Amino acid sequence: QDNRISIWSAGDVGNVGLNSECQGEPQLLCDIRHDGDVMDMQFLDQERIVVASSTGTVTVFRHHQTNQTLSASLRWEKAHYHVDQDTSCGGAACTGVICNKPEIVTVGEDGRINLFRADQKDAVRTIENADSSTLHAVTFLRTTEILTVNSIGQLKIWDLRQQRNEPSQIFSLTGDRVPLHCVDRHPNQQHIVATGGQDGVLSIWDIRQGTMPVSLLNAHEAEMWEVHFHPSNPDHLFTCSEDGSLWHWDASTNISEKPSFLPQGGRSTTYFSHSTVNQSVVSAWLNNDPAKDHMEITNLIPNQTLSVNSLDVLGPCLVYGTDAEAIYVNKKLFA
């Protein structure tokens, strides 16, 4: 029950070129106690971190860089709850949080969606019973729209400008209602969305058309916990799983000119993917033409057996956390 939020310095990451290396060893700068499991966390800005708890509480912590301390600057007690906010055990886990300063959106096991602002004590908006099942993750589609995924295989779009408490669009996996655990949208082409779920399959959706995924890519042997497009190289995507693997999906257009790798060291080349027609319009992720091209998949940690629970990526640095109670930083992603 007694957990901690920690701020680490991972060496000099600020001025890293794509091929150069970050300097220095990671150092623990400060930490602070946290009630309940940390279900998700996001930086709101340079100094503030928003943390989702299994108790249903959402806390904004401030990192004071002058004296390297952390303090709770704002707390929404039981933002998520099952029965009512007043019962001592009524809290429902807050499963996901996403920030677009000053706005903070949270989702939870109670099927609620909350919209908070970092400068206001009360919720700006709450969509009660937004979902009858658990909401597992949330991300911004645009500044006024969010995407959520739930435990019955649905992807929903919510327009926060609309007062009605209904999603503006619902997409779903066909057949089995496989729980979806994670969602991310393409940084440049906002109609492209990636999700992952309990069956380890990577689903790519084009939210402009149809209500089903454009492609289902067999990925992991167990639950997929996190999916992320690279923010500045979105032809690269990263997924991690309960099965202990972390996959780098490379759909970049010049892949046909790359040397072909024999399947070794956990690398495999899978033949499904994109054509080279009018690449500026058609994203690598939406075209499945195995005859023309292929996607390259590399397992970045081939011999890991324990679950890889979370990952994030920026420039040449990839950070991930595992059930080995360790955080790993890979600083040469595109080496």
Side-chain angles (χ1 to χ4, degrees), residues 4 22 37 47 69-70 82 86 92 113 126 171 206 209 234 241 284 291 300 314 319 324 326 335:
R4 303 193 84 74
C22 313
D37 294 341
E47 330 195 287
T69 55
L70 274 167
H82 282 306
D86 305 326
I113 298 172
T126 294
F171 304 84
D206 181 346
Q209 51 186 8
S241 166
L300 297 177
L314 187 66
V319 59

Side-chain angles (χ1 to χ4, degrees), residues 79-258:
H80 295 273
Y81 54 92
H82 282 306
V83 193
D84 60 75
Q85 273 176 303
D86 305 326
T87 52
S88 59
C89 57
C94 176
T95 50
V97 58
I98 192 77
C99 303
N100 187 14
K101 189 181 168 187
E103 298 189 319
I104 299 162
V105 175
T106 70
V107 296
E109 268 180 13
D110 53 356
R112 262 184 197 79
I113 298 172
N114 290 308
L115 172 62
F116 297 110
R117 281 178 63 104
D119 48 15
Q120 282 178 236
K121 273 212 154 49
D122 295 319
V124 177
R125 169 111 193 260
T126 294
I127 304 178
E128 305 270 356
N129 308 318
D131 212 299
S132 55
S133 61
T134 297
L135 288 168
H136 281 144
V138 59
T139 193
F140 274 97
L141 179 62
R142 297 180 185 82
T143 49
T144 55
E145 288 180 298
I146 55 166
L147 290 162
T148 59
V149 289
N150 69 12
S151 59
I152 55 171
Q154 292 173 321
L155 168 69
K156 297 183 181 180
I157 300 179
W158 304 82
D159 187 337
L160 297 173
R161 290 165 305 189
Q162 300 290 337
Q163 280 314 301
R164 58 196 191 101
N165 293 342
E166 304 287 325
S168 51
Q169 276 179 280
I170 301 178
F171 304 84
S172 52
L173 296 170
T174 46
D176 305 331
R177 298 183 151 203
V178 178
L180 290 172
H181 290 303
C182 51
V183 57
D184 197 26
R185 77 153 168 78
H186 192 288
N188 313 335
Q189 295 176 294
Q190 296 182 337
H191 54 277
I192 301 171
V193 175
T195 63
Q198 190 167 299
D199 55 2
V201 169
L202 172 64
S203 307
I204 305 290
W205 312 69
D206 181 346
I207 58 172
R208 297 169 306 181
Q209 51 186 8
T211 57
M212 296 183 319
V214 181
S215 55
L216 296 170
L217 308 177
N218 281 320
H220 302 278
E221 309 276 308
E223 290 93 341
M224 187 190 296
W225 292 131
E226 197 100 64
V227 57
H228 277 300
F229 285 101
H230 192 289
S232 50
N233 294 312
D235 282 350
H236 297 266
L237 178 94
F238 299 86
T239 58
C240 65
S241 166
E242 179 72 28
D243 67 8
S245 60
L246 193 163
W247 285 15
H248 173 188
W249 305 70
D250 182 353
S252 51
T253 51
N254 60 353
I255 195 160
S256 45
E257 291 136 41
K258 291 184 182 176

Side-chain angles (χ1 to χ4, degrees), residues 217-219 247 249-250 255 261 263 267-274 289-290 293-298:
L217 308 177
N218 281 320
W247 285 15
W249 305 70
D250 182 353
I255 195 160
F261 294 102
R267 180 184 274 119
S268 68
T269 300
T270 309
Y271 290 88
F272 43 55
S273 213
H274 53 282
D289 191 346
D293 233 328
H294 58 265
M295 189 182 303
E296 195 175 31
I297 302 166
T298 311

